[in-house]
Amino acid sequence: MVTTLDDTKRQAIAGKLADIKAIQSLIISTEQKLIGSCPDQDVRDRLQNMLNDDQKNLGVLETVIVQYGTPAEPHSTVKKFVEQAQQMMAGDELSFYQKLIQHELLKHGQVMSGIVVHKAAQVVGADIEVAIAPLNTINFENRAHQEQLKGMLELVGVRELTGKDADQGLWARVQDAVAALSGVAGSVVTQNTDKQDINIQTLIRLDHNKVNTIFTEIGATKDAQKLQEYFGQLYKDLLAHAQAEEETVYPKVRSFYGNDNTQELYDEQAEMKRMLDEIKSINPASADEFRSKIKQLMDVVGDHVRQEESTMFAAIDNNCSTEQKEQMATEFKAAKSKIQQEMASKK
Ligand SMILES: [Fe+2]
Ligand SMILES: [Fe+2]
């Protein structure tokens, strides 16, 4: 069916996500430097809270990139920019106020990139929207951070110029702006509280939902080019997901989920992989054959997913602690990321 499993639009979005991750790391290192040189306790505390958010958000961003499924490097221009910005922030040419301005600009750029990726996802495919959904929470927080930084800039700027404090009530105004924003963000911000502690069931379910979305996209399109694009994504997502489960989840559940049940999961995945390769080799002109094989694959995957989400998930709940489930999620995510990178380098 496919001449290549890659699609240029999807590759371009992967590059943008890699840029966002590089900038997120820059934002973190800049905040650490700003905290180290901050003349004001109140501003320092606020920067510390921001740093905590940003470190959590780097983890969310890593999850999004693995969900997205296409690994990529940041652009060389972004790498160069990061280097220069780090030097500038470490140097003593700029005043604290000037450094804070640069930081606010970084946040602004990060918000815009997040929005751009969202708009691009809407154009390219519903499966991408599903994969990058958590980016929303990062964007709302970055918007709130921008408002806080504006307040800090006024405070620090007035002090640098006059040696005196700015009008009282400034912080209240900043808090108002943040509150207004959280009102808009609503449940997204609330969801944020436990985003760091994603458990293995949630992570696996996210993958299943994404695969389900791609099946729906395949069913809905008549465009041969789109069909190839969606199948390329499906192929990569299913293989990486299955492989990561076999490396990190199935060996752990075997003792309490039972030998037979676990073996069944392995066997179903072997069948699924066989079908994927079969579909990959179908002549692109045979659209009917392609669709009927996809339908068969969908049934096999559907049965498999139902078994995992019902009995396997319940067995995990009954036999693993919260920490163990989170640990499994961390291992699953790392294994999947490694598999994706190996798959990308083999081409
Ligand atoms: Fe599975
Ligand atoms: Fe699964």
Side-chain angles (χ1 to χ4, degrees):
M1 176 66 197
V2 285
T3 47
T4 169
L5 293 172
D6 291 313
D7 173 78
T8 46
K9 302 181 294 303
R10 283 165 187 258
Q11 202 67 46
I13 293 175
K16 193 75 183 164
L17 285 171
D19 288 348
I20 292 177
K21 186 180 164 189
I23 297 293
Q24 188 68 17
S25 298
L26 172 64
I27 284 175
I28 288 170
S29 80
T30 301
E31 279 162 2
Q32 286 164 336
K33 290 190 186 90
L34 287 171
I35 289 167
S37 65
C38 182
D40 182 282
Q41 179 69 42
D42 209 355
V43 172
R44 194 157 51 232
D45 291 347
R46 276 155 205 277
L47 283 171
Q48 184 61 50
N49 289 338
M50 209 174 276
L51 174 62
N52 296 345
D53 288 344
D54 282 320
Q55 281 167 331
K56 268 188 290 175
N57 285 341
L58 183 62
V60 176
L61 208 44
E62 282 163 355
T63 305
V64 165
I65 287 171
V66 175
Q67 280 296 119
Y68 183 68
T70 305
E73 279 289 301
H75 293 89
S76 59
T77 46
V78 170
K79 285 188 192 164
K80 203 184 232 170
F81 170 79
V82 167
E83 246 172 62
Q84 288 169 346
Q86 270 166 343
Q87 279 175 9
M88 188 177 70
M89 290 297 183
D92 50 16
E93 279 167 41
L94 300 186
S95 71
F96 186 81
Y97 172 80
Q98 287 168 322
K99 286 180 180 176
L100 208 54
I101 289 222
Q102 295 307 315
H103 192 57
E104 204 261 331
L105 286 175
L106 279 180
K107 280 274 171 200
H108 175 75
Q110 197 73 327
V111 168
M112 287 315 300
S113 297
I115 292 172
V116 165
V117 167
H118 259 286
K119 300 282 172 193
Q122 286 166 2
V123 174
V124 177
D127 59 298
I128 302 184
E129 289 186 76
V130 170
I132 65 159
L135 209 55
N136 261 329
T137 64
I138 302 181
N139 250 24
F140 279 120
E141 284 200 347
N142 278 335
R143 287 277 307 281
H145 289 172
Q146 264 188 287
E147 292 309 312
Q148 290 174 322
L149 283 165
K150 285 176 194 166
M152 291 182 213
L153 277 166
E154 284 186 36
L155 189 118
V156 171
V158 169
R159 269 201 206 137
E160 271 190 23
L161 282 179
T162 68
K164 291 193 161 61
D165 279 341
D167 259 357
Q168 297 225 325
L170 180 65
W171 287 126
R173 191 148 57 72
V174 172
Q175 285 315 110
D176 283 351
V178 173
L181 217 50
S182 344
V184 175
S187 59
V188 181
V189 168
T190 330
Q191 278 169 17
N192 240 12
T193 48
D194 59 356
K195 69 190 168 187
Q196 201 178 17
D197 309 313
I198 194 161
N199 67 30
I200 185 64
Q201 290 108 313
T202 307
L203 206 51
I204 288 181
R205 199 177 271 120
L206 282 173
D207 277 0
H208 292 168
N209 289 348
K210 188 184 173 200
V211 161
N212 217 350
T213 307
I214 304 177
F215 275 125
T216 310
E217 285 173 314
I218 289 178
T221 188
K222 295 198 164 50
D223 180 334
Q225 180 76 37
K226 274 276 166 198
L227 219 51
Q228 169 156 329
E229 176 188 331
Y230 292 141
F231 177 72
Q233 191 66 51
L234 182 74
Y235 184 94
K236 290 191 282 190
D237 283 352
L238 275 177
L239 276 195
H241 174 84
Q243 188 64 32
E245 282 181 342
E246 289 180 17
E247 286 177 19
T248 63
V249 180
Y250 295 175
K252 289 227 167 75
V253 304
R254 197 185 274 275
S255 65
F256 53 79
Y257 187 48
N259 248 327
D260 291 352
N261 283 336
T262 309
Q263 193 53 46
E264 204 180 324
L265 293 177
Y266 276 105
D267 294 345
E268 285 166 359
Q269 293 201 156
E271 170 67 1
M272 184 191 83
K273 288 179 207 171
R274 192 196 57 72
M275 292 175 85
L276 278 170
D277 280 320
E278 193 186 7
I279 298 170
K280 195 174 146 203
S281 64
I282 294 175
N283 184 327
S286 323
D288 289 345
E289 191 189 358
F290 174 81
R291 285 200 185 274
S292 85
K293 292 280 179 197
I294 283 281
K295 176 78 184 60
Q296 288 171 24
L297 175 67
M298 206 172 114
D299 291 342
V300 168
V301 171
D303 284 344
H304 180 78
V305 160
R306 271 188 293 279
Q307 182 180 341
E308 284 183 350
E309 294 194 2
S310 56
T311 54
M312 185 183 85
F313 280 10
I316 291 175
D317 269 333
N318 292 334
N319 291 279
C320 301
S321 66
T322 307
E323 290 73 29
Q324 285 171 322
K325 289 190 280 185
E326 286 165 10
Q327 178 60 25
M328 247 197 268
T330 305
E331 287 168 16
F332 179 83
K333 187 165 110 173
K336 208 173 120 200
S337 172
K338 191 161 163 276
I339 294 159
Q340 287 168 341
Q341 274 159 33
E342 282 165 5
M343 278 165 58
S345 67
K346 263 191 211 141
K347 286 175 314 218

